[in-house]
Amino acid sequence: MALYNFFIFFSTRDKAYAFYVAYIILVTLTQMAFIGMLAFTTFKNMPWLSSHSALYLTAFTAIAAGEFMVRFIHMKALYPVSMRAMRLFYLVLLFGLVIDMDAKSVIAYRIIQVGAGSFALFQLVILIRVAAQGSRPARYFLIAWVSFLLGIISFILKDLGFLPFNDLTRFAMTIGSAVEVVLLSFGLADKINVFREEKELSQAKAIAMAKENELFVLNQNVDLERKVTERTHALQETNDHLKRTQTQLVSAEKMASLGQLTAGIAHEINNPLTGVVGYSKLLLERQNLDPNVREKVEKIAASGERCRKIVEGVLLFSRQQEAGGKRRKVDLRALIDRVIGIGEYQWRMHNVRVLREGMADAEVLADADQLEQVLLNLLSNAVDAMPRGGTIRLGLGHETDGRVKLVVADEGMGIPPEIQGRIFDPFFSTKEIGKGTGLGL
């Protein structure tokens, strides 16, 4: 039994098994001392040890039993107040051994006998208390300890004459010790199961804690990603705002330069333009004017008047004045028909057809002259984008939010993506020098 538990000690490194091995060996030697086997074998030629071995072995066995019990039932954790009392019993037993060394064997025997007996009863009380708390090792130890105490009591009662002297009472202490050793071995074997259950419980707690930590980290990552997204979005908005502000500043500088330039040009154009408009009106006042010529002169007068209004708009722009006062209700269908009529000759010359598709009735509050200019420029650009001719489609419809949408679509190559961001820049144009106005959109 000692070898088996010694092997378990090396496997588990649990000190309880080491103290149990020591306890088994000391119990065996104590029993051998009491029945005289040590005196006739091991200590045959050592009279002092032969006569005193039982006393010393009893004290050391009691101490080994106490230390084993402390570790086996986890006494420090379950019943810590008992540790001081246990140390006191150890001092009593060691004091008895000191007295024996001082040649006072009778007194020493009584001290150790009383100390060991009291200590055994103290251990019994502690075991009962700890076992009552539900400790499985304490229950095993309690049954084994009761068996050992019954063996001792039977042995003592036999010596006092209360029990008959026979083989059972003669070896009662040995039998009790053997039963105790077997039961404690069962308890230690069960302790392995307790270790396994505790390990499984610990692993389950560790897994649960790992899952909680994983969930916590996952939530932290989600929260961090959300914050990063929010910060990135905020930074992006700030960056976009800065870009818009920078673009507006650049545009403002360009517009200021454009205003100064266009003011001079407008003044230079305005004088000959006034003559064109004036002479065309004089021709129209003639009664005998050929109808075909009159139609052409009317178109010249209309175009001249439109140019005059464009110049006026440029002057207003150069002076940073608002043209909002000229806004009125405009019939977009009539405006589209008028613009197409103005550029009809240009469309035919370039083999371009202008088709109206889905033309809904629509009125908007706007400056009709500016709308004509925008639409005429879009149509002119569309013609330039189709050098071999093609079709321009005009669409007019209503949006669900009450707005009106005017669509101009051509069959040209379109605007390359790399310059789409510059189409509203003043003076920007992809046309050759001398073509177009160079004022962009």
Side-chain angles (χ1 to χ4, degrees):
M1 195 68 70
L3 290 175
Y4 170 73
N5 285 280
F6 190 68
F7 171 77
I8 295 178
F9 165 70
F10 274 102
S11 300
T12 62
R13 296 297 177 179
D14 186 353
K15 292 182 179 180
Y17 291 93
F19 278 98
Y20 184 57
V21 170
Y23 175 68
I24 292 175
I25 295 173
L26 288 172
V27 166
T28 302
L29 292 175
T30 302
Q31 298 297 326
M32 292 174 65
F34 273 108
I35 63 178
M37 291 183 62
L38 290 179
F40 289 102
T41 56
T42 307
F43 303 138
K44 183 176 181 180
N45 298 320
M46 292 179 281
W48 189 89
L49 285 177
S50 178
S51 59
H52 292 264
S53 59
L55 189 66
Y56 280 81
L57 289 172
T58 299
F60 293 146
T61 300
I63 294 173
E67 291 300 305
F68 169 63
M69 186 180 75
V70 168
R71 288 159 179 80
F72 184 72
I73 68 173
H74 305 290
M75 193 169 163
K76 288 182 180 180
L78 298 177
Y79 210 72
V81 295
S82 61
M83 296 303 299
R84 291 185 179 180
M86 180 170 289
R87 300 292 182 262
L88 182 61
F89 281 115
Y90 290 170
L91 291 176
V92 172
L93 293 173
L94 293 176
F95 178 71
L97 296 181
V98 172
I99 294 297
D100 181 68
M101 292 179 181
D102 195 31
K104 299 178 180 178
S105 299
V106 176
I107 298 176
Y109 179 79
R110 296 298 181 189
I111 292 174
I112 292 177
Q113 187 179 40
V114 172
S118 301
F119 185 45
L121 294 176
F122 169 78
Q123 289 178 279
L124 181 63
V125 172
I126 297 299
L127 288 171
I128 293 174
R129 288 180 176 271
V130 176
Q133 297 179 17
S135 172
R136 283 166 53 182
R139 292 173 182 175
Y140 275 104
F141 205 119
L142 177 62
I143 297 172
W145 198 245
V146 169
S147 301
F148 175 66
L149 293 180
L150 288 176
I152 294 176
I153 292 172
S154 299
F155 185 82
I156 294 173
L157 291 177
K158 177 264 299 178
D159 290 341
L160 296 176
F162 290 99
L163 291 177
F165 183 87
N166 52 36
D167 290 341
L168 180 61
T169 55
R170 178 185 173 190
F171 296 102
M173 186 182 301
T174 303
I175 295 172
S177 298
V179 172
E180 179 199 21
V181 169
V182 172
L183 291 177
L184 288 178
S185 296
F186 287 159
L188 286 170
D190 182 70
K191 191 174 183 180
I192 297 176
N193 295 328
V194 173
F195 281 155
R196 185 172 61 251
E197 292 175 359
E198 291 177 351
K199 182 179 180 181
E200 292 174 354
L201 181 61
S202 177
Q203 289 177 344
K205 289 182 178 179
I207 293 173
M209 185 176 296
K211 289 182 178 179
E212 289 181 1
N213 291 337
E214 182 180 1
L215 181 60
F216 175 76
V217 171
L218 181 61
N219 291 334
Q220 289 292 100
N221 288 338
V222 171
D223 186 57
L224 181 59
E225 289 178 359
R226 179 182 59 80
K227 290 182 178 179
V228 169
T229 302
E230 291 177 354
R231 295 289 177 86
T232 303
H233 181 68
L235 289 174
Q236 186 63 42
E237 288 184 346
T238 303
N239 188 39
D240 293 342
H241 177 71
L242 290 175
K243 287 183 178 179
R244 288 193 298 268
T245 303
Q246 183 181 17
T247 302
Q248 290 172 359
L249 290 174
V250 172
S251 298
E253 292 178 359
K254 290 181 179 180
M255 290 301 180
S257 301
L258 177 62
Q260 295 176 359
L261 176 63
T262 53
I265 295 174
H267 283 295
E268 295 295 330
I269 294 175
N270 200 36
N271 291 330
L273 189 58
T274 301
V276 172
V277 174
Y279 285 120
S280 63
K281 287 184 178 180
L282 288 175
L283 287 173
L284 291 174
E285 290 177 358
R286 294 184 178 184
Q287 299 296 330
N288 59 349
L289 192 64
D290 183 86
N292 290 329
V293 176
R294 179 177 292 278
E295 181 182 357
K296 302 298 183 182
V297 173
E298 286 177 349
K299 288 186 176 181
I300 292 173
S303 296
E305 186 65 27
R306 186 175 63 83
C307 289
R308 187 186 63 79
K309 290 181 179 180
I310 291 173
V311 171
E312 182 183 352
V314 170
L315 288 172
L316 289 173
F317 165 75
S318 65
R319 296 169 186 166
Q320 298 183 352
Q321 296 177 0
E322 294 185 357
K326 293 185 178 181
R327 291 184 181 181
R328 61 182 183 275
K329 286 187 178 181
V330 178
D331 184 347
L332 288 182
R333 289 190 62 175
L335 184 143
I336 291 171
D337 292 340
R338 187 163 60 250
V339 171
I340 292 176
I342 293 173
E344 184 178 0
Y345 178 76
Q346 181 185 3
W347 319 148
R348 288 202 307 267
M349 288 294 293
H350 291 84
N351 194 26
V352 173
R353 294 187 306 160
V354 180
L355 302 179
R356 303 171 181 85
E357 295 180 349
M359 301 297 291
D361 292 328
E363 286 187 347
V364 294
L365 185 65
D367 187 323
D369 296 329
Q370 290 183 351
L371 283 181
E372 283 186 10
Q373 180 184 355
V374 170
L375 183 57
L376 186 59
N377 285 340
L378 287 175
L379 292 174
S380 297
N381 287 338
V383 172
D384 293 339
M386 298 185 296
R388 297 183 180 180
T391 302
I392 301 174
R393 290 177 171 81
L394 293 174
L396 182 61
H398 294 274
E399 297 285 275
T400 56
D401 57 359
R403 294 185 297 175
V404 176
K405 181 168 68 174
L406 174 60
V407 179
V408 180
D410 60 56
E411 296 176 344
M413 296 298 294
I415 302 175
E418 59 270 15
I419 66 171
Q420 288 180 4
R422 300 186 60 195
I423 60 176
F424 292 100
D425 292 350
F427 308 115
F428 175 77
S429 176
T430 59
K431 297 178 182 180
E432 297 177 2
I433 297 176
K435 293 185 177 181
T437 61
L439 296 179
L441 294 176

